[in-house]
Amino acid sequence: MKDNLLKYVLAILLGLVTSLIIFRIDFLQRSELFFYNLRFEFKKNNIIPDNIVLITIEPETVKSYKNQIVPYSKYAELISIISNSKVIGIDIPFIQFTDLNDIKELSDILSKQNNVILSSRFVGGFFQHFDNSITYVPPIPMLSQYAKYGYQNYVPDIDGFVRRTAFYYIFKSQSRIEESFSSLIAEKITGKSQKDNNRIYFINYLGKSGSFKNYSFKEIIEKPQQFKNTFSNKIVLIGAKSDVYKIPFVSNNEMSRVEIHANNILTILNEDFLNKANIQLNSFFILLMGFIGVLIAILFEKNKGIFIIGLIIIFYTLVNFIAFDIFETYFSLFTPILAIIISFLLTKYYIYNYRNKEIKRIKKIFKPYLPPQMIDEVIRKKDYVEVLRGERREVTVIFADIADFTILSDRLPTDEVVKILNEFLTHMTNVIFRNNGSLDKYTGDGVMAVFGNIGKTEIQENAHRAVKTAIEMNKELGELQQKWITSGQMPLQIRIGISTGEALVGNIGSPQHMDFTVIGDTVNIASRLEKLNKKFNTTILISKTTYEYVKEIVKVKTLETSAIRGKDEKVEVFELIGWKDS
């Protein structure tokens, strides 16, 4: 039992360690991110507020201008049209010096407006924490002197999707902080700086691309009177329609950067941040699922285990999606599911290998003693566990011996004796196995068989099978005698003794050689009864205990009580004649 417990503990440790290792594999991180996207697909529809609107610049509009650059003066026109907006965010990096008069038009209107936020840009290893690897490019000075500006960049995760961003970027070498474009717009509205918040956060997307009200840059410029009061007291974000990123949805998952800003700003304003479980909690879920997978593999057979694993996965997935949708909490999904599957399979494989080795060991022990079908049944029901350790059981024991074999062996050549003996023992063994008896041992010129020494059987049934075996042995010997007489050989006679009672059953011996056998008074009585056949000139003798179990089905002749060596009192002896209905 201790050995089995140790093996199961090792299996559990194997499953848990494996679960933690797989958490770090790149492919699994990507898979986890895919399931993050899937959560947004099933997230309840959000009401899109009408206080944030977009003005997008179509690629065709850009191409219509010289050098495919929209003149700065056009942005000045747009600002004048929508000047009554609450905040105007321009997601266009004004970093190129164009015509001075063109720039001055935009600069003049910025000097008169206090509700415009411009955008800057990082170039290089953004968010890599290596100040020397990046370049920060602000708007040109003629514009930046009149308006605040924040970086427009979003850095995708390893799979190319934009899920998270930062309020600000720290230039450690320069001891300064640059805030993001969205963060500055939110600060403009609330008056609250975002520099005190945790730097990294997840954007809580309200929907797919096209969720926000969108207006055409070109149409507003060409028909300004139609939009005179359209943007009053609204947050207006201006940007290029062609600057797109992938966002965390499974389908229709591209979105312009300016619309990502809209989602980002609302996340900040509503403080509607997605809460990502920390690594300790995620590790706990992975270990827990791995542990559950191991336990299920140990406690349940394969098909039932797979069914239970399936139910757990469904339950865990539902809880995970509900937590994301209602509580806006995100914790690992794919990796814990994979952990429970892998730990279940690895543990089943481990147990399967251990079980196979155990089956081979058990078969090796019982092969000399039991028929194949009985070995398979014993293994299936695991009936061998107790008896191999040793236990007392009610059994019926048979001793069958060749009468006067010593005289026979002296008269015949050795090889002839061996041939006859092998033939006799083979036939007797077949009879024993046919009746699901256990071949305990060969006793030189005889055989010892036991019924009830393994498996869950009834005492009466064991006695019935024992007397049936004895009757069939005698019949089998009759057929052999005919063969031997025909071939000119001397026919053999058999003597059989049967006794029922308690005996010690177990795998007994030394580390060098073990025998699955039975010992005790019952064995001794059966052996003595076999020898008493010579005194009474009989073939099969049974004890009083055996008679009590079979008296309803067999004919017997009561003989005189006899003294048996090793017993103080005489015992009742019965000759077995045959079946009552024959």
Side-chain angles (χ1 to χ4, degrees):
M1 184 65 183
K2 289 182 179 179
D3 290 342
N4 288 348
L5 182 60
L6 177 61
K7 287 179 171 60
Y8 287 145
V9 169
L10 290 175
I12 291 172
L13 290 176
L14 175 64
L16 298 184
V17 170
T18 302
S19 301
L20 281 179
I21 291 173
I22 65 176
F23 187 46
R24 296 295 181 182
I25 298 174
D26 180 77
F27 163 74
L28 298 177
Q29 291 182 23
R30 291 175 182 270
S31 300
E32 192 69 66
L33 292 174
F34 168 80
F35 278 92
Y36 179 93
N37 298 356
L38 195 62
R39 291 177 178 88
F40 272 105
E41 289 285 351
F42 289 94
K43 199 170 186 290
K44 67 177 180 293
N45 294 327
N46 294 282
I47 298 173
I48 307 299
D50 59 2
N51 65 327
I52 295 184
V53 296
L54 310 178
I55 297 176
T56 55
I57 307 168
E58 292 83 359
E60 295 75 16
T61 302
V62 176
K63 291 177 183 178
S64 68
Y65 292 107
K66 184 180 177 181
N67 298 325
Q68 296 189 8
I69 298 175
V70 178
Y72 289 7
S73 58
K74 292 297 178 182
Y75 293 104
E77 287 182 43
L78 180 63
I79 292 173
S80 66
I81 296 169
I82 63 173
S83 60
N84 58 353
S85 302
K86 190 171 188 177
V87 178
I88 300 171
I90 306 178
D91 182 30
I92 301 294
F94 298 117
I95 59 178
Q96 293 180 323
F97 280 92
T98 58
D99 181 83
L100 187 60
N101 292 328
D102 185 50
I103 297 173
K104 191 173 186 306
E105 283 191 46
L106 180 56
S107 176
D108 288 344
I109 199 162
L110 288 178
S111 66
K112 299 172 185 177
Q113 296 283 137
N114 65 351
N115 62 344
V116 179
I117 302 293
L118 302 180
S119 63
S120 56
R121 175 184 293 178
F122 279 102
V123 179
F126 185 52
F127 285 162
Q128 300 302 314
H129 300 285
F130 298 108
D131 290 357
N132 295 331
S133 67
I134 64 172
T135 302
Y136 183 62
V137 186
I140 58 177
M142 284 183 67
L143 304 179
S144 61
Q145 64 180 320
Y146 297 117
K148 286 187 175 183
Y149 53 87
Y151 61 82
Q152 63 179 197
N153 305 68
Y154 288 102
V155 178
D157 287 323
I158 59 174
D159 60 348
F161 288 78
V162 173
R163 297 181 180 85
R164 50 190 172 171
T165 188
F167 286 112
Y168 52 86
Y169 181 78
I170 303 173
F171 282 87
K172 294 182 180 179
S173 61
Q174 302 174 28
S175 299
R176 67 186 177 91
I177 294 175
E178 292 293 343
E179 291 186 77
S180 72
F181 176 73
S182 298
S183 177
L184 282 176
I185 292 175
E187 183 179 326
K188 185 74 175 176
I189 296 167
T190 63
K192 176 184 175 183
S193 173
Q194 305 300 328
K195 292 180 182 178
D196 295 332
N197 290 325
N198 292 327
R199 194 167 72 90
I200 307 293
Y201 61 94
F202 284 82
I203 301 171
N204 196 346
Y205 289 92
L206 296 184
K208 298 183 179 183
S209 180
S211 297
F212 290 85
K213 182 67 176 176
N214 186 16
Y215 297 90
S216 168
F217 177 90
K218 181 180 179 182
E219 188 176 359
I220 296 172
I221 294 296
E222 292 178 349
K223 303 172 183 178
Q225 292 303 317
Q226 293 184 13
F227 300 96
K228 187 175 181 180
N229 297 312
T230 302
F231 304 100
S232 178
N233 205 36
K234 294 185 185 295
I235 302 168
V236 182
L237 304 178
I238 305 165
K241 195 172 185 178
S242 58
D243 290 339
V244 297
Y245 291 81
K246 286 186 175 182
I247 59 170
F249 287 89
V250 175
S251 62
N252 189 21
N253 54 13
E254 287 191 343
M255 180 177 283
S256 64
R257 184 174 59 227
V258 69
E259 190 168 0
I260 294 176
H261 287 317
N263 282 279
N264 191 4
I265 291 165
L266 277 178
T267 299
I268 299 171
L269 292 177
N270 298 333
E271 295 185 351
D272 200 14
F273 304 105
L274 295 174
N275 303 306
K276 182 183 179 182
N278 58 36
I279 192 167
Q280 290 84 0
L281 183 59
N282 281 328
S283 297
F284 169 75
F285 281 123
I286 293 167
L287 286 172
L288 178 64
M289 293 290 271
F291 183 77
I292 291 172
V294 172
L295 285 184
I296 291 173
I298 292 172
L299 297 176
F300 300 97
E301 54 87 20
K302 184 182 70 175
N303 291 337
K304 191 172 183 179
I306 291 173
F307 177 73
I308 295 173
I309 291 288
L311 291 180
I312 291 173
I313 289 174
I314 292 171
F315 176 76
Y316 181 77
T317 302
L318 287 175
V319 169
N320 198 294
F321 275 61
I322 291 170
F324 187 81
D325 191 20
I326 298 177
F327 303 105
E328 296 184 334
T329 299
Y330 155 55
F331 52 91
S332 294
L333 174 61
F334 181 73
T335 311
I337 288 175
L338 198 61
I340 194 173
I341 293 172
I342 289 180
S343 61
F344 174 79
L345 293 177
L346 282 178
T347 306
K348 273 298 179 190
Y349 177 75
Y350 182 86
I351 293 173
Y352 174 79
N353 281 345
Y354 168 73
R355 179 79 173 142
N356 274 354
K357 290 178 182 178
E358 182 74 356
I359 288 172
K360 288 179 181 178
R361 184 180 75 87
I362 298 304
K363 283 186 174 181
K364 185 178 180 181
I365 291 173
F366 289 117
K367 186 177 180 180
Y369 312 110
L370 300 176
Q373 73 276 8
M374 194 171 176
I375 294 176
D376 292 339
E377 184 73 5
V378 164
I379 290 173
R380 186 179 67 82
K381 294 182 177 179
K382 298 183 180 179
D383 289 332
Y384 56 85
V385 178
E386 298 296 330
V387 294
L388 287 182
R389 284 208 301 261
E391 66 172 346
R392 295 192 175 276
R393 295 172 68 107
E394 290 288 329
V395 298
T396 298
V397 180
I398 291 181
F399 272 90
D401 203 23
I402 298 174
D404 300 320
F405 180 74
T406 305
I407 298 173
L408 176 66
S409 62
D410 289 340
R411 293 179 179 177
L412 297 175
T414 303
D415 59 341
E416 190 71 22
V417 172
V418 171
K419 180 181 177 182
I420 293 174
L421 190 57
N422 286 344
E423 190 172 17
F424 167 76
L425 293 176
T426 298
H427 282 263
M428 298 303 106
T429 301
N430 289 340
V431 174
I432 295 168
F433 283 176
R434 194 162 60 229
N435 289 284
N436 286 335
S438 169
L439 174 64
D440 190 279
K441 64 173 66 72
Y442 293 123
T443 58
D445 60 336
V447 61
M448 173 184 168
V450 184
F451 295 83
N453 57 340
I454 191 165
K456 296 176 176 62
T457 56
E458 297 293 329
I459 301 173
Q460 186 172 31
E461 180 191 348
N462 296 331
H464 287 183
R465 286 191 288 122
V467 297
K468 181 174 180 288
T469 299
I471 292 170
E472 290 180 6
M473 279 181 169
N474 198 34
K475 180 181 178 182
E476 191 87 6
L477 181 64
E479 296 175 0
L480 281 175
Q481 287 173 337
Q482 292 297 323
K483 176 186 173 185
W484 289 330
I485 291 172
T486 303
S487 60
Q489 295 176 334
M490 183 181 296
L492 303 179
Q493 301 296 327
I494 192 173
R495 295 170 180 160
I496 301 173
I498 305 174
S499 178
T500 301
E502 187 182 83
L504 176 62
V505 181
N507 207 26
I508 299 170
S510 68
Q512 290 79 18
H513 181 76
M514 306 287 285
D515 277 329
F516 179 64
T517 189
V518 294
I519 55 177
D521 276 349
T522 301
V523 179
N524 294 333
I525 291 172
S527 176
R528 300 295 180 258
L529 289 175
E530 180 271 316
K531 290 177 173 55
L532 276 177
N533 278 291
K534 186 174 183 179
K535 172 184 175 182
F536 293 114
N537 194 26
T538 53
T539 301
I540 306 172
L541 294 181
I542 63 175
S543 67
K544 170 69 172 177
T545 51
T546 303
Y547 170 72
E548 291 298 329
Y549 288 115
V550 300
K551 60 185 179 182
E552 301 298 327
I553 59 172
V554 297
K555 292 185 290 186
V556 298
K557 178 182 178 182
T558 304
L559 304 177
E560 63 184 66
T561 56
S562 300
I564 292 182
R565 192 173 62 185
K567 301 291 290 182
D568 294 334
E569 298 178 357
K570 290 185 177 182
V571 298
E572 293 184 67
V573 180
F574 301 85
E575 179 187 6
L576 180 62
I577 307 299
W579 303 113
K580 275 189 174 181
D581 57 355
S582 61

